[in-house]
Amino acid sequence: MSTTRNPGTEAPTTAAEILERAKALAPRLRERSAEIERARQLPPDVVDMLRATGVFRMCFGPEWGGPELTSMQQAEVVETLAYGDASAGWCAAIGAMTGAISNFLDPAVVKEVFPSLDMITAGLIAPAGHAERVPGGFRLSGRWSFGSGITHADWVTSGAFIYQDGKPWASPDGSNAHASRQFLVPAHEVGVVGNWDTTGLCGSGSSDYTITDVFVPEEHTYTFYKVRGRTDTPIAQPDSFMRSLCAVPLGVARAALDHARETALTRVDKMTGAVWADTFRVQVTLAECEAEFNAARSGVHSSSRRHWDVLAGGGTLDDLTATERAASSLAWVHAFRTSRAIVNRLYDLLQAWSRSPMLRVASLVRLAIHGARHRSLIRPDRQDTP
């Protein structure tokens, strides 16, 4: 896979630069939305344009020359890209997990596998594969679903249960639980099934994928329960790359709201001659949807900010109350559901005027389900800690 940025484009070094580039790219993504949907994956040049924004490097820390955006900054970048195209925003959020993963790999391995900060990692972390212990590593096989971005990834990370001599290998902590890990495999050793035929996020290329008897060195495996890089960064947490996913539906809902408002300003009811902008029903619908959007977005950012501030200040999750710890996950779920409800309501309001791809209800419904599937993957299952 190509990891070069657009020729002559310097890599962004700050959150402000990445956000500025994302804002500049969003209208171009909007223009390409129909093409992206038809292709069922991001075209190569669109992937290159995303690379050039710096979105795939935004989780790398300063020790690697990265900008290490906060959770709130990451969400704003992803929301901006999703405002242009939902699939592009989704793939951007997934691909940006590369920098987060680097915290759970040995630094020497990070230098080896990620020579560029703009490389893309995709895959499914749920332990769906079979990893047989062999000298020096593992033989990995299996089939995984929802491989968002798999068609343009450089590396694929996949969860798998560990076996030895064909028998389940127990966790070394004495619990006798079946151990699992994450396995990092070059994309060229992964087979894409090509079964992504859906009603939403069509362009995300979220096909099933297979890995068959591929040798994975021990050092290319990891768990989210052992940090091998910096321990003083809030990104070195099991949920770190999940935090910006809910920004995708927020970006879509924001685009739907703007489209509905623009339509209302120019539409006149042919039966009554009433200007839509002066109609009580339209005003109330837009106002209530705007309020719901603002509340959902605020919930995401305020809960993320609280977590980030505590962790960045040297604290741990134990320094948060149970309510504070739950707040982020609840805000993520609420953002998906609220965004879907907003788009549904605006679609009903505009009806035949809902020509914008942003107002395709099926996309948001699928997006909510797809996002919920991803949110369920970080679980307190026992994993082998090498």
Side-chain angles (χ1 to χ4, degrees):
M1 300 286 179
S2 170
T3 60
T4 58
R5 295 179 297 276
N6 292 347
T9 302
E10 295 297 325
T13 59
T14 67
E17 290 176 320
I18 294 174
L19 180 59
E20 181 181 0
R21 294 187 185 195
K23 289 179 178 178
L25 180 58
R28 300 172 66 186
L29 293 175
R30 181 74 59 82
E31 294 171 356
R32 303 286 296 276
S33 285
E35 175 191 350
I36 291 171
E37 185 166 319
R38 286 194 302 270
R40 301 283 169 173
Q41 64 186 55
L42 300 186
D45 69 314
V46 171
V47 176
D48 285 341
M49 287 189 287
L50 285 173
R51 287 189 200 271
T53 66
V55 65
F56 297 125
R57 64 171 48 212
M58 66 182 182
C59 291
F60 275 102
E63 71 275 23
W64 301 112
E68 193 173 79
L69 273 62
T70 67
S71 297
M72 299 74 73
Q73 291 167 335
Q74 293 173 41
E76 191 172 9
V77 170
V78 172
E79 181 182 350
T80 299
L81 293 170
Y83 185 89
D85 180 77
S87 292
W90 187 263
C91 287
I94 296 295
M97 79 164 109
T98 305
I101 289 173
S102 70
N103 293 288
F104 303 96
L105 294 168
D106 186 271
V109 176
V110 176
K111 291 181 180 179
E112 172 198 345
V113 299
F114 302 137
S116 164
L117 301 189
D118 299 307
M119 298 183 76
I120 300 169
T121 304
L124 191 78
I125 66 175
H130 179 116
E132 186 74 23
R133 278 188 167 277
V134 296
F138 302 85
R139 284 286 174 183
L140 179 65
S141 296
R143 176 168 173 158
W144 293 260
S145 299
F146 293 109
S148 301
I150 200 76
T151 56
H152 58 257
D154 301 297
W155 288 90
V156 176
T157 186
S158 306
F161 286 107
I162 300 174
Y163 295 80
Q164 188 164 17
D165 299 325
K167 298 179 180 179
W169 193 75
S171 176
D173 62 4
S175 67
N176 292 321
H178 195 177
S180 65
R181 295 190 193 180
Q182 297 299 311
F183 296 82
L184 202 59
V185 174
H188 65 81
E189 295 189 286
V190 176
V192 178
V193 177
N195 61 341
W196 188 240
D197 185 13
T198 182
T199 56
L201 284 182
C202 299
S204 65
S206 302
S207 298
D208 286 10
Y209 65 93
T210 60
I211 298 175
T212 305
D213 196 32
V214 171
F215 175 72
V216 183
E218 177 89 26
E219 59 271 21
H220 287 192
T221 72
Y222 65 98
T223 78
F224 289 106
Y225 299 93
K226 182 176 181 179
V227 178
R228 291 186 169 125
R230 284 172 54 211
T231 59
D232 63 342
T233 169
I235 292 182
Q237 296 288 331
D239 70 339
S240 57
F241 70 88
M242 310 288 286
R243 299 171 189 165
S244 64
L245 292 179
C246 64
V248 178
L250 289 174
V252 175
R254 179 71 267 166
L257 276 162
D258 289 351
H259 173 73
R261 182 183 294 107
E262 291 168 4
T263 301
L265 289 173
T266 59
R267 186 176 181 183
V268 176
D269 191 310
K270 293 182 179 180
M271 296 290 292
T272 65
V275 178
W276 257 47
D278 298 330
T279 303
F280 178 77
R281 179 177 67 91
V282 175
Q283 293 174 344
V284 169
T285 299
L286 290 177
E288 290 180 345
C289 287
E290 189 74 38
E292 291 168 4
F293 172 83
N294 289 336
R297 188 176 189 273
S298 177
V300 168
H301 283 264
S302 62
S303 60
S304 293
R305 187 174 300 106
R306 173 60 178 159
H307 279 215
W308 188 275
D309 288 346
V310 169
L311 296 173
T316 67
L317 293 179
D318 291 335
D319 295 312
L320 296 166
T321 67
T323 300
E324 288 174 329
R325 288 197 299 272
S328 286
S329 296
L330 292 173
W332 300 343
V333 174
H334 185 64
F336 273 95
R337 291 177 176 173
T338 300
S339 296
R340 180 180 61 182
I342 289 171
V343 173
N344 275 331
R345 193 169 179 187
L346 293 176
Y347 188 89
D348 288 342
L349 175 69
L350 298 188
Q351 298 180 23
W353 288 62
S354 304
R355 299 188 182 97
S356 170
M358 295 296 99
L359 290 179
R360 290 175 181 164
V361 178
S363 291
L364 251 293
V365 172
R366 181 61 190 177
L367 179 58
I369 296 172
H370 194 57
R373 174 63 179 256
H374 275 272
R375 288 195 307 278
S376 69
L377 301 186
I378 291 289
R379 304 179 306 184
D381 292 347
R382 294 282 185 177
Q383 294 201 25
D384 171 26
T385 303

Tab-separated table of all heavy atoms in Angstrom, residues 183-231:
chain	number	residue	atom	x	y	z
A	183	PHE	N	-3.212	-9.420	16.773
A	183	PHE	CA	-2.156	-9.863	15.860
A	183	PHE	C	-2.051	-8.878	14.701
A	183	PHE	O	-3.040	-8.585	14.025
A	183	PHE	CB	-2.460	-11.270	15.349
A	183	PHE	CG	-2.463	-12.304	16.434
A	183	PHE	CD1	-3.585	-12.478	17.238
A	183	PHE	CD2	-1.343	-13.083	16.678
A	183	PHE	CE1	-3.597	-13.413	18.267
A	183	PHE	CE2	-1.334	-14.028	17.699
A	183	PHE	CZ	-2.458	-14.194	18.495
A	184	LEU	N	-0.855	-8.382	14.477
A	184	LEU	CA	-0.607	-7.386	13.437
A	184	LEU	C	-0.028	-8.084	12.212
A	184	LEU	O	1.031	-8.715	12.272
A	184	LEU	CB	0.367	-6.332	13.962
A	184	LEU	CG	0.378	-4.958	13.295
A	184	LEU	CD1	-0.991	-4.296	13.385
A	184	LEU	CD2	1.439	-4.071	13.942
A	185	VAL	N	-0.748	-7.965	11.086
A	185	VAL	CA	-0.390	-8.673	9.858
A	185	VAL	C	-0.331	-7.684	8.695
A	185	VAL	O	-1.209	-6.815	8.577
A	185	VAL	CB	-1.433	-9.777	9.550
A	185	VAL	CG1	-1.173	-10.423	8.199
A	185	VAL	CG2	-1.437	-10.825	10.660
A	186	PRO	N	0.679	-7.775	7.819
A	186	PRO	CA	0.711	-6.899	6.636
A	186	PRO	C	-0.533	-7.107	5.780
A	186	PRO	O	-1.011	-8.228	5.619
A	186	PRO	CB	1.976	-7.348	5.895
A	186	PRO	CG	2.813	-8.021	6.935
A	186	PRO	CD	1.847	-8.676	7.879
A	187	ALA	N	-1.049	-6.026	5.225
A	187	ALA	CA	-2.306	-6.107	4.474
A	187	ALA	C	-2.220	-7.047	3.280
A	187	ALA	O	-3.214	-7.674	2.910
A	187	ALA	CB	-2.716	-4.712	4.015
A	188	HIS	N	-1.032	-7.198	2.699
A	188	HIS	CA	-0.929	-8.051	1.508
A	188	HIS	C	-1.082	-9.539	1.843
A	188	HIS	O	-1.247	-10.374	0.945
A	188	HIS	CB	0.398	-7.802	0.780
A	188	HIS	CG	1.623	-8.198	1.554
A	188	HIS	ND1	2.077	-9.495	1.634
A	188	HIS	CD2	2.477	-7.447	2.293
A	188	HIS	CE1	3.169	-9.545	2.382
A	188	HIS	NE2	3.430	-8.314	2.799
A	189	GLU	N	-1.058	-9.889	3.126
A	189	GLU	CA	-1.265	-11.273	3.538
A	189	GLU	C	-2.702	-11.543	3.970
A	189	GLU	O	-3.007	-12.601	4.502
A	189	GLU	CB	-0.310	-11.627	4.681
A	189	GLU	CG	1.154	-11.597	4.279
A	189	GLU	CD	2.069	-12.158	5.356
A	189	GLU	OE1	2.280	-11.461	6.368
A	189	GLU	OE2	2.543	-13.299	5.166
A	190	VAL	N	-3.565	-10.581	3.713
A	190	VAL	CA	-4.972	-10.675	4.116
A	190	VAL	C	-5.854	-10.761	2.875
A	190	VAL	O	-5.652	-10.030	1.908
A	190	VAL	CB	-5.369	-9.443	4.958
A	190	VAL	CG1	-6.845	-9.487	5.306
A	190	VAL	CG2	-4.521	-9.376	6.227
A	191	GLY	N	-6.816	-11.668	2.909
A	191	GLY	CA	-7.751	-11.805	1.798
A	191	GLY	C	-9.053	-11.074	2.092
A	191	GLY	O	-9.657	-11.277	3.148
A	192	VAL	N	-9.473	-10.216	1.165
A	192	VAL	CA	-10.729	-9.474	1.322
A	192	VAL	C	-11.849	-10.251	0.647
A	192	VAL	O	-11.753	-10.600	-0.531
A	192	VAL	CB	-10.616	-8.059	0.722
A	192	VAL	CG1	-11.944	-7.325	0.855
A	192	VAL	CG2	-9.496	-7.276	1.399
A	193	VAL	N	-12.917	-10.534	1.391
A	193	VAL	CA	-14.012	-11.339	0.868
A	193	VAL	C	-14.844	-10.564	-0.147
A	193	VAL	O	-15.348	-11.131	-1.111
A	193	VAL	CB	-14.892	-11.852	2.024
A	193	VAL	CG1	-16.085	-12.632	1.486
A	193	VAL	CG2	-14.055	-12.736	2.955
A	194	GLY	N	-15.016	-9.264	0.054
A	194	GLY	CA	-15.753	-8.453	-0.916
A	194	GLY	C	-17.253	-8.600	-0.804
A	194	GLY	O	-17.959	-8.580	-1.814
A	195	ASN	N	-17.760	-8.758	0.414
A	195	ASN	CA	-19.197	-8.949	0.611
A	195	ASN	C	-19.870	-7.726	1.220
A	195	ASN	O	-20.931	-7.833	1.816
A	195	ASN	CB	-19.438	-10.166	1.517
A	195	ASN	CG	-18.822	-9.993	2.908
A	195	ASN	OD1	-17.942	-9.154	3.102
A	195	ASN	ND2	-19.253	-10.804	3.857
A	196	TRP	N	-19.249	-6.546	1.079
A	196	TRP	CA	-19.813	-5.338	1.672
A	196	TRP	C	-20.867	-4.765	0.745
A	196	TRP	O	-20.620	-3.904	-0.093
A	196	TRP	CB	-18.709	-4.320	1.944
A	196	TRP	CG	-19.197	-3.128	2.733
A	196	TRP	CD1	-19.174	-1.817	2.335
A	196	TRP	CD2	-19.770	-3.119	4.039
A	196	TRP	NE1	-19.696	-0.999	3.307
A	196	TRP	CE2	-20.072	-1.782	4.381
A	196	TRP	CE3	-20.062	-4.126	4.963
A	196	TRP	CZ2	-20.651	-1.419	5.596
A	196	TRP	CZ3	-20.630	-3.768	6.173
A	196	TRP	CH2	-20.921	-2.422	6.480
A	197	ASP	N	-22.095	-5.253	0.884
A	197	ASP	CA	-23.224	-4.791	0.087
A	197	ASP	C	-24.305	-4.373	1.060
A	197	ASP	O	-25.109	-5.182	1.528
A	197	ASP	CB	-23.722	-5.924	-0.811
A	197	ASP	CG	-24.821	-5.472	-1.753
A	197	ASP	OD1	-25.024	-4.249	-1.892
A	197	ASP	OD2	-25.489	-6.336	-2.338
A	198	THR	N	-24.330	-3.092	1.392
A	198	THR	CA	-25.144	-2.607	2.500
A	198	THR	C	-25.916	-1.367	2.107
A	198	THR	O	-25.744	-0.836	1.005
A	198	THR	CB	-24.238	-2.328	3.722
A	198	THR	OG1	-25.030	-1.895	4.821
A	198	THR	CG2	-23.225	-1.251	3.400
A	199	THR	N	-26.760	-0.897	3.010
A	199	THR	CA	-27.572	0.287	2.738
A	199	THR	C	-26.979	1.556	3.310
A	199	THR	O	-27.564	2.624	3.163
A	199	THR	CB	-28.976	0.101	3.330
A	199	THR	OG1	-28.872	-0.178	4.728
A	199	THR	CG2	-29.712	-1.032	2.646
A	200	GLY	N	-25.863	1.479	3.985
A	200	GLY	CA	-25.239	2.658	4.565
A	200	GLY	C	-23.752	2.466	4.732
A	200	GLY	O	-23.261	1.340	4.750
A	201	LEU	N	-23.025	3.583	4.835
A	201	LEU	CA	-21.560	3.537	4.866
A	201	LEU	C	-21.032	2.671	3.729
A	201	LEU	O	-20.070	1.926	3.889
A	201	LEU	CB	-21.071	3.003	6.210
A	201	LEU	CG	-21.135	3.968	7.388
A	201	LEU	CD1	-20.578	3.305	8.653
A	201	LEU	CD2	-20.353	5.242	7.129
A	202	CYS	N	-21.669	2.788	2.576
A	202	CYS	CA	-21.314	1.924	1.450
A	202	CYS	C	-19.844	2.035	1.072
A	202	CYS	O	-19.214	1.065	0.678
A	202	CYS	CB	-22.170	2.276	0.236
A	202	CYS	SG	-23.936	2.070	0.498
A	203	GLY	N	-19.304	3.244	1.190
A	203	GLY	CA	-17.944	3.472	0.732
A	203	GLY	C	-16.859	3.111	1.720
A	203	GLY	O	-15.680	3.358	1.451
A	204	SER	N	-17.220	2.530	2.867
A	204	SER	CA	-16.215	2.235	3.888
A	204	SER	C	-15.450	0.946	3.625
A	204	SER	O	-14.484	0.635	4.320
A	204	SER	CB	-16.865	2.157	5.270
A	204	SER	OG	-17.773	1.081	5.358
A	205	GLY	N	-15.888	0.157	2.630
A	205	GLY	CA	-15.185	-1.084	2.309
A	205	GLY	C	-15.115	-2.036	3.484
A	205	GLY	O	-14.121	-2.749	3.649
A	206	SER	N	-16.172	-2.088	4.289
A	206	SER	CA	-16.145	-2.878	5.525
A	206	SER	C	-16.441	-4.350	5.285
A	206	SER	O	-17.321	-4.950	5.907
A	206	SER	CB	-17.139	-2.297	6.532
A	206	SER	OG	-16.847	-0.953	6.809
A	207	SER	N	-15.701	-4.945	4.369
A	207	SER	CA	-15.913	-6.342	4.002
A	207	SER	C	-15.384	-7.296	5.065
A	207	SER	O	-14.581	-6.919	5.926
A	207	SER	CB	-15.195	-6.641	2.677
A	207	SER	OG	-15.709	-5.868	1.625
A	208	ASP	N	-15.833	-8.551	4.986
A	208	ASP	CA	-15.184	-9.602	5.747
A	208	ASP	C	-13.781	-9.784	5.183
A	208	ASP	O	-13.513	-9.450	4.020
A	208	ASP	CB	-15.940	-10.921	5.595
A	208	ASP	CG	-17.246	-10.958	6.374
A	208	ASP	OD1	-17.664	-9.894	6.884
A	208	ASP	OD2	-17.834	-12.035	6.459
A	209	TYR	N	-12.903	-10.323	6.006
A	209	TYR	CA	-11.560	-10.628	5.521
A	209	TYR	C	-11.065	-11.909	6.160
A	209	TYR	O	-11.542	-12.324	7.224
A	209	TYR	CB	-10.590	-9.470	5.768
A	209	TYR	CG	-10.320	-9.154	7.226
A	209	TYR	CD1	-9.230	-9.723	7.903
A	209	TYR	CD2	-11.127	-8.262	7.932
A	209	TYR	CE1	-8.970	-9.422	9.230
A	209	TYR	CE2	-10.875	-7.948	9.261
A	209	TYR	CZ	-9.799	-8.531	9.903
A	209	TYR	OH	-9.541	-8.232	11.217
A	210	THR	N	-10.126	-12.557	5.484
A	210	THR	CA	-9.603	-13.826	5.951
A	210	THR	C	-8.083	-13.782	6.063
A	210	THR	O	-7.409	-13.059	5.318
A	210	THR	CB	-9.995	-14.974	5.010
A	210	THR	OG1	-9.471	-14.700	3.702
A	210	THR	CG2	-11.502	-15.115	4.916
A	211	ILE	N	-7.584	-14.549	6.995
A	211	ILE	CA	-6.143	-14.764	7.149
A	211	ILE	C	-5.958	-16.267	7.276
A	211	ILE	O	-6.616	-16.912	8.100
A	211	ILE	CB	-5.586	-14.042	8.389
A	211	ILE	CG1	-5.771	-12.527	8.253
A	211	ILE	CG2	-4.118	-14.388	8.618
A	211	ILE	CD1	-5.367	-11.735	9.490
A	212	THR	N	-5.088	-16.839	6.452
A	212	THR	CA	-4.934	-18.289	6.416
A	212	THR	C	-3.498	-18.703	6.683
A	212	THR	O	-2.606	-18.459	5.861
A	212	THR	CB	-5.393	-18.843	5.047
A	212	THR	OG1	-6.729	-18.409	4.784
A	212	THR	CG2	-5.346	-20.367	5.044
A	213	ASP	N	-3.266	-19.294	7.853
A	213	ASP	CA	-1.981	-19.878	8.227
A	213	ASP	C	-0.816	-18.896	8.012
A	213	ASP	O	0.213	-19.252	7.440
A	213	ASP	CB	-1.738	-21.163	7.429
A	213	ASP	CG	-0.633	-22.020	8.048
A	213	ASP	OD1	-0.484	-22.013	9.282
A	213	ASP	OD2	0.094	-22.689	7.280
A	214	VAL	N	-0.998	-17.679	8.477
A	214	VAL	CA	0.045	-16.660	8.356
A	214	VAL	C	0.874	-16.638	9.642
A	214	VAL	O	0.323	-16.604	10.747
A	214	VAL	CB	-0.569	-15.264	8.106
A	214	VAL	CG1	0.501	-14.178	8.205
A	214	VAL	CG2	-1.230	-15.232	6.736
A	215	PHE	N	2.182	-16.675	9.492
A	215	PHE	CA	3.062	-16.614	10.664
A	215	PHE	C	3.134	-15.172	11.170
A	215	PHE	O	3.379	-14.247	10.410
A	215	PHE	CB	4.472	-17.093	10.321
A	215	PHE	CG	5.441	-16.935	11.472
A	215	PHE	CD1	5.366	-17.762	12.583
A	215	PHE	CD2	6.411	-15.932	11.449
A	215	PHE	CE1	6.245	-17.612	13.651
A	215	PHE	CE2	7.291	-15.775	12.509
A	215	PHE	CZ	7.206	-16.617	13.615
A	216	VAL	N	2.868	-15.004	12.472
A	216	VAL	CA	2.944	-13.692	13.110
A	216	VAL	C	3.993	-13.768	14.212
A	216	VAL	O	3.833	-14.533	15.173
A	216	VAL	CB	1.588	-13.274	13.721
A	216	VAL	CG1	1.697	-11.871	14.320
A	216	VAL	CG2	0.483	-13.330	12.680
A	217	PRO	N	5.093	-13.016	14.093
A	217	PRO	CA	6.116	-13.037	15.138
A	217	PRO	C	5.540	-12.617	16.484
A	217	PRO	O	4.624	-11.801	16.554
A	217	PRO	CB	7.144	-12.015	14.636
A	217	PRO	CG	6.895	-11.883	13.178
A	217	PRO	CD	5.416	-12.089	12.998
A	218	GLU	N	6.064	-13.167	17.545
A	218	GLU	CA	5.618	-12.844	18.898
A	218	GLU	C	5.581	-11.335	19.123
A	218	GLU	O	4.641	-10.802	19.718
A	218	GLU	CB	6.562	-13.494	19.912
A	218	GLU	CG	6.255	-13.181	21.357
A	218	GLU	CD	5.289	-14.155	21.997
A	218	GLU	OE1	5.217	-15.301	21.537
A	218	GLU	OE2	4.600	-13.743	22.946
A	219	GLU	N	6.599	-10.618	18.633
A	219	GLU	CA	6.687	-9.189	18.885
A	219	GLU	C	5.654	-8.379	18.109
A	219	GLU	O	5.465	-7.186	18.367
A	219	GLU	CB	8.087	-8.668	18.567
A	219	GLU	CG	8.558	-8.870	17.131
A	219	GLU	CD	9.267	-10.198	16.908
A	219	GLU	OE1	9.066	-11.137	17.721
A	219	GLU	OE2	10.027	-10.302	15.917
A	220	HIS	N	4.967	-9.013	17.164
A	220	HIS	CA	3.906	-8.337	16.420
A	220	HIS	C	2.530	-8.618	17.019
A	220	HIS	O	1.505	-8.384	16.382
A	220	HIS	CB	3.917	-8.760	14.947
A	220	HIS	CG	5.055	-8.165	14.179
A	220	HIS	ND1	5.122	-8.210	12.798
A	220	HIS	CD2	6.175	-7.512	14.578
A	220	HIS	CE1	6.240	-7.623	12.387
A	220	HIS	NE2	6.885	-7.188	13.457
A	221	THR	N	2.509	-9.117	18.240
A	221	THR	CA	1.262	-9.339	18.962
A	221	THR	C	1.220	-8.410	20.163
A	221	THR	O	2.257	-7.969	20.661
A	221	THR	CB	1.123	-10.793	19.428
A	221	THR	OG1	2.038	-11.043	20.509
A	221	THR	CG2	1.413	-11.761	18.287
A	222	TYR	N	0.012	-8.134	20.624
A	222	TYR	CA	-0.113	-7.219	21.755
A	222	TYR	C	-1.491	-7.387	22.386
A	222	TYR	O	-2.372	-8.066	21.836
A	222	TYR	CB	0.073	-5.766	21.308
A	222	TYR	CG	-0.988	-5.264	20.360
A	222	TYR	CD1	-2.072	-4.509	20.810
A	222	TYR	CD2	-0.928	-5.543	18.984
A	222	TYR	CE1	-3.052	-4.043	19.946
A	222	TYR	CE2	-1.905	-5.091	18.105
A	222	TYR	CZ	-2.961	-4.344	18.592
A	222	TYR	OH	-3.935	-3.895	17.733
A	223	THR	N	-1.675	-6.797	23.549
A	223	THR	CA	-2.990	-6.700	24.172
A	223	THR	C	-3.194	-5.244	24.590
A	223	THR	O	-2.232	-4.462	24.673
A	223	THR	CB	-3.124	-7.586	25.426
A	223	THR	OG1	-2.475	-6.949	26.530
A	223	THR	CG2	-2.525	-8.959	25.197
A	224	PHE	N	-4.441	-4.906	24.844
A	224	PHE	CA	-4.752	-3.550	25.301
A	224	PHE	C	-4.630	-3.422	26.815
A	224	PHE	O	-5.056	-2.423	27.389
A	224	PHE	CB	-6.158	-3.147	24.854
A	224	PHE	CG	-6.273	-2.911	23.370
A	224	PHE	CD1	-6.921	-3.835	22.553
A	224	PHE	CD2	-5.718	-1.784	22.788
A	224	PHE	CE1	-7.021	-3.621	21.187
A	224	PHE	CE2	-5.811	-1.557	21.423
A	224	PHE	CZ	-6.466	-2.483	20.621
A	225	TYR	N	-4.051	-4.429	27.446
A	225	TYR	CA	-3.923	-4.422	28.900
A	225	TYR	C	-2.480	-4.269	29.355
A	225	TYR	O	-2.198	-4.333	30.546
A	225	TYR	CB	-4.547	-5.703	29.474
A	225	TYR	CG	-6.004	-5.794	29.141
A	225	TYR	CD1	-6.435	-6.470	27.997
A	225	TYR	CD2	-6.961	-5.161	29.926
A	225	TYR	CE1	-7.778	-6.523	27.667
A	225	TYR	CE2	-8.304	-5.208	29.597
A	225	TYR	CZ	-8.710	-5.894	28.465
A	225	TYR	OH	-10.038	-5.933	28.126
A	226	LYS	N	-1.586	-4.072	28.393
A	226	LYS	CA	-0.190	-3.844	28.750
A	226	LYS	C	0.388	-2.759	27.855
A	226	LYS	O	0.497	-2.933	26.631
A	226	LYS	CB	0.641	-5.114	28.615
A	226	LYS	CG	2.096	-4.920	29.030
A	226	LYS	CD	2.865	-6.217	28.984
A	226	LYS	CE	4.311	-6.006	29.433
A	226	LYS	NZ	5.075	-7.270	29.414
A	227	VAL	N	0.730	-1.627	28.445
A	227	VAL	CA	1.323	-0.511	27.698
A	227	VAL	C	2.825	-0.739	27.613
A	227	VAL	O	3.491	-0.961	28.616
A	227	VAL	CB	1.026	0.832	28.391
A	227	VAL	CG1	1.693	1.975	27.631
A	227	VAL	CG2	-0.472	1.053	28.498
A	228	ARG	N	3.348	-0.662	26.388
A	228	ARG	CA	4.792	-0.851	26.190
A	228	ARG	C	5.485	0.444	25.813
A	228	ARG	O	6.707	0.513	25.796
A	228	ARG	CB	5.022	-1.904	25.100
A	228	ARG	CG	4.635	-3.318	25.513
A	228	ARG	CD	5.042	-4.288	24.412
A	228	ARG	NE	4.928	-5.651	24.840
A	228	ARG	CZ	4.228	-6.580	24.211
A	228	ARG	NH1	3.549	-6.258	23.122
A	228	ARG	NH2	4.181	-7.818	24.639
A	229	GLY	N	4.692	1.458	25.471
A	229	GLY	CA	5.266	2.760	25.158
A	229	GLY	C	5.124	3.680	26.347
A	229	GLY	O	5.243	3.274	27.506
A	230	ARG	N	4.837	4.942	26.077
A	230	ARG	CA	4.629	5.915	27.146
A	230	ARG	C	3.412	5.552	27.977
A	230	ARG	O	2.389	5.161	27.445
A	230	ARG	CB	4.430	7.306	26.557
A	230	ARG	CG	5.686	7.988	26.073
A	230	ARG	CD	5.323	9.259	25.331
A	230	ARG	NE	4.467	10.131	26.133
A	230	ARG	CZ	3.541	10.943	25.607
A	230	ARG	NH1	3.362	10.972	24.299
A	230	ARG	NH2	2.846	11.723	26.383
A	231	THR	N	3.542	5.691	29.266
A	231	THR	CA	2.412	5.441	30.154
A	231	THR	C	1.755	6.736	30.628
A	231	THR	O	0.739	6.690	31.319
A	231	THR	CB	2.865	4.636	31.381
A	231	THR	OG1	3.885	5.379	32.069
A	231	THR	CG2	3.414	3.279	30.969
